[in-house]
Amino acid sequence: MIELSHVSKSYKIQKKTGWFRSETQMKCAVKDVSLSIGRGEIVGYIGPNGSGKSTTIKMMSGILLPDEGTIRVNGVDPFYQRKQNGRNIGVLFGQRSQLWWHLKLEDTLNLLRHMYDIPDAQYAARLSMLRKTLSLDEFWGQPIRQLSLGQRMRGELAAALIHSPSILYLDEPTIGMDVIVKESIRDLLKLIHQRDGITILLTTHDLEDVERICSRVIVISHGQLCFDGSMARLREQCASDSTVTILFASETPELPDQLRNVKKEGKRVTFTINRAMGESPLLAETISRNIVRDIAISEPPVENVIRDLYEGVGQ
Ligand code: ADP
Ligand code: MG
């Protein structure tokens, strides 16, 4: 459904080299990226700031032309068949509003209806569905500039979905939101995905977004892909440690020598294991020989996992 094959993109930048002189340099934003996303998938596209996420989305939307490589979205070249591509995709840029600031949402949606030539009956049905799902009635009569960030994002989603696209690109949809509003947007995205079977590509630097809603994650760093798989596999692949805390029934017994970072405190002990390195049997051995009251294993924060991964790139 979405196919990128050896896609690269550089920007021209002017560098000042003296008082009156500057020279043009090329800044490579995306380097030899190939990926394939199937119908109905919900994929997280993550990477640190400046890693090339937005540039990729812009090429997939037809806003930018790749220097090298080919892109097909529903069989269409997004740049050269921009209008056709526009009918297939919905796009939301969290940092830039596509709603008219002084208009009510209703008016913006009406403009989009004419832009996309949506037949009346289809528009009415779609609108009533979106009003319900996204609770648009709460601010239906207000100009966009008066809305809270969460309300505005629901409006943006309605605008991105009004023409019933089969693909939705979300570029940082939760940026700047507080935890509760973020959660509600994530729930909405899950709902929309489940109900419409829409293909979603979600760009974010917030790993919670990915953990909560994506079944697959693609990681980009310095313009190059460095991982494509499930969140669980991402965790496994990164050599990060899990912290184990065990509360024994009586004083902490002798433990296997190979355990690392052991801290004993009466009946309680904490240590770290690395599942990727096959250390789980050590844990099993520790538990099996003693009476255990409680056990807790905390996965490494995903931030650490990703940091390990980013740092591993290019080595
Ligand atoms: P991300 O969305 O992952 O933060 P971007 O795709 O926006 O990353 O940017 C990738 C790289 O390209 C960055 O180094 C950024 O500074 C550079 N870049 C992005 N847009 C432009 C532009 N219009 N002109 C010059 N450089 C740009
Ligand atoms: Mg970006």
Side-chain angles (χ1 to χ4, degrees):
M1 180 152 233
I2 302 176
E3 301 279 346
L4 273 70
S5 171
H6 302 288
V7 170
S8 298
K9 176 79 192 168
S10 297
Y11 293 104
K12 269 196 192 116
I13 44 172
Q14 294 291 333
K15 255 229 161 105
K16 247 180 116 110
T17 51
W19 282 99
F20 301 106
R21 263 183 301 179
S22 68
E23 61 183 43
T24 307
Q25 286 187 346
M26 298 305 280
K27 159 86 198 161
C28 185
V30 168
K31 212 185 294 177
D32 196 26
V33 163
S34 298
L35 58 88
S36 162
I37 295 172
R39 187 179 300 276
E41 279 197 85
I42 178 159
V43 179
Y45 191 42
I46 63 174
N49 266 336
S51 53
K53 304 183 295 295
S54 296
T55 304
T56 315
I57 297 264
K58 285 174 187 165
M59 289 190 285
M60 292 195 279
S61 320
I63 298 169
L64 290 176
L65 178 67
D67 300 333
E68 283 167 56
T70 53
I71 303 182
R72 290 289 177 276
V73 178
N74 263 356
V76 166
D77 183 313
F79 191 84
Y80 291 109
Q81 295 163 282
R82 211 168 155 179
K83 196 158 179 203
Q84 209 179 329
N85 187 52
R87 292 184 182 281
N88 297 332
I89 64 166
V91 191
L92 184 158
F93 288 99
Q95 279 156 308
R96 203 170 328 127
S97 181
Q98 72 151 321
L99 305 173
W100 276 269
W101 212 233
H102 297 291
L103 296 186
K104 292 179 283 182
L105 179 62
E106 185 179 11
D107 302 323
T108 296
L109 294 179
N110 231 326
L111 287 169
L112 291 171
R113 159 202 199 159
H114 292 294
M115 250 173 63
Y116 291 115
D117 270 330
I118 308 171
D120 287 351
Q122 188 190 324
Y123 181 76
R126 190 73 179 164
L127 193 62
S128 107
M129 187 280 287
L130 289 172
R131 276 176 81 149
K132 211 156 85 208
T133 328
L134 300 170
S135 313
L136 303 179
D137 289 344
E138 187 186 306
F139 53 89
W140 194 241
Q142 284 168 257
I144 298 301
R145 66 184 139 79
Q146 291 178 3
L147 306 186
S148 71
L149 186 55
Q151 289 175 329
R152 204 199 82 209
M153 213 48 83
R154 272 144 58 200
E156 302 277 357
L157 270 176
L161 292 169
I162 190 70
H163 57 300
S164 314
S166 54
I167 298 172
L168 179 62
Y169 302 141
L170 302 158
D171 194 359
E172 306 277 359
T174 58
I175 199 156
M177 290 180 178
D178 63 48
V179 180
I180 294 171
V181 179
K182 264 185 195 174
E183 278 297 293
S184 69
I185 294 293
R186 288 169 187 152
D187 287 343
L188 279 176
L189 293 177
K190 273 199 282 198
L191 183 73
I192 291 165
H193 175 249
Q194 277 161 12
R195 204 203 32 218
D196 290 7
I198 192 169
T199 308
I200 297 184
L201 182 70
L202 170 97
T203 285
T204 184
H205 65 264
D206 187 332
L207 293 159
E208 280 284 322
D209 288 346
V210 179
E211 288 225 88
R212 291 288 317 283
I213 53 187
C214 300
S215 46
R216 174 177 164 197
V217 49
I218 298 176
V219 183
I220 183 170
S221 178
H222 301 294
Q224 286 177 288
L225 298 194
C226 50
F227 178 86
D228 185 346
S230 68
M231 202 70 203
R233 200 162 73 71
L234 177 59
R235 273 221 176 81
E236 255 169 47
Q237 183 167 324
C238 298
S240 286
D241 294 334
S242 305
T243 305
V244 180
T245 306
I246 301 178
L247 181 65
F248 290 103
S250 49
E251 203 67 10
T252 299
E254 279 298 302
L255 300 171
D257 290 342
Q258 307 94 311
L259 288 178
R260 291 175 294 120
N261 303 317
V262 179
K263 287 191 199 86
K264 286 187 190 177
E265 236 182 90
K267 296 176 186 172
R268 189 185 306 270
V269 65
T270 65
F271 53 87
T272 56
I273 59 165
N274 192 312
R275 291 180 182 177
M277 289 165 69
E279 289 180 348
S280 298
L282 288 177
L283 174 60
E285 189 186 328
T286 310
I287 300 169
S288 66
R289 294 220 204 112
N290 302 280
I291 300 173
V292 169
R293 285 261 178 273
D294 197 10
I295 180 163
I297 304 176
S298 65
E299 297 291 340
V302 195
E303 276 72 14
N304 294 3
V305 172
I306 300 293
R307 195 171 349 101
D308 290 351
L309 192 71
Y310 293 155
E311 283 166 4
V313 171
Q315 283 175 5

